Amino acid sequence: MIRLYDPRLDQAEVVRLIRNELIPLSHTVHQLDAQTIRELPKRFRRGVTYVASLSKKSPPVSFIHFEVMGEVLYLDMMVTHPDHRNRQWGRKLMAHSEAYGRTQNCKVARLFVDQVNDKAHHLYSKLGYHTVRYYPDLRCYELLKPLTPP
């Protein structure tokens, strides 16, 4: 099921997913970067987070965090636990996020994916995202997808 993030139920597992699955792919953040971890609750309060869980009270197996910035839906982070990959959680979370963006009159979705994260890049391409730029200093790609019909 897809539900809104509840910090009391979900924070510990979401932070663990970020620390173990997302940060190791990043060129700019180290796994033991205490400041990055400390700032996560503030970051989550700035946007919307959906989690995928097996029941209403079970820990998340996947999550997505995003923010609306004017007419842009900025997809900030998405992670799925390795034991739960290839079950369409990422696809479902992306669909929920994009639907939310459309209700907020967003015209485009924007995200960044690390150069080494080929599986994520492939997923986003299948979902209609197009690579528009590569940032060599960050070792990541910027991808965009229109959220309104042409």
Side-chain angles (χ1 to χ4, degrees):
M1 76 176 305
I2 306 293
R3 60 178 173 76
L4 279 170
Y5 171 78
D6 179 342
R8 293 169 299 149
L9 293 175
D10 304 324
Q11 183 172 325
E13 183 60 16
V14 165
V15 168
R16 193 191 72 68
L17 285 169
I18 292 167
R19 188 181 297 235
N20 294 340
E21 304 301 325
L22 197 58
I23 290 176
L25 298 173
S26 175
H27 171 66
T28 59
V29 181
H30 188 272
Q31 193 167 4
L32 300 176
D33 187 346
Q35 181 177 349
T36 298
I37 300 299
R38 237 185 351 266
E39 291 175 355
L40 286 172
K42 181 178 176 183
R43 191 168 171 179
F44 281 113
R45 285 191 297 273
R46 277 197 319 256
V48 177
T49 305
Y50 289 128
V51 298
S53 61
L54 303 180
S55 71
K56 288 181 185 178
K57 302 276 185 186
S58 66
V61 297
S62 187
F63 81 91
I64 190 166
H65 175 73
F66 56 92
E67 294 182 49
V68 172
M69 298 176 178
E71 295 182 337
V72 177
L73 175 68
Y74 173 63
L75 300 158
D76 182 32
M77 293 183 282
M78 183 171 75
V79 181
T80 299
H81 188 282
D83 293 346
H84 296 276
R85 290 186 182 146
N86 300 314
R87 297 183 187 176
Q88 307 298 310
W89 291 120
R91 185 179 296 269
K92 291 174 187 173
L93 288 166
M94 292 292 287
H96 273 74
S97 301
E98 291 170 5
Y100 180 94
R102 287 184 189 96
T103 69
Q104 302 300 306
N105 299 312
C106 292
K107 302 219 181 309
V108 66
R110 179 181 189 217
L111 61 85
F112 292 86
V113 64
D114 291 296
Q115 175 185 341
V116 298
N117 199 346
D118 292 331
K119 287 184 180 185
H121 201 159
H122 182 69
L123 169 66
Y124 300 138
S125 294
K126 286 196 319 192
L127 295 177
Y129 286 78
H130 302 281
T131 302
V132 294
R133 192 171 295 122
Y134 176 70
Y135 295 87
D137 293 347
L138 301 174
R139 296 185 193 166
C140 69
Y141 296 94
E142 177 183 7
L143 287 76
L144 296 177
K145 176 183 178 179
L147 293 179
T148 56

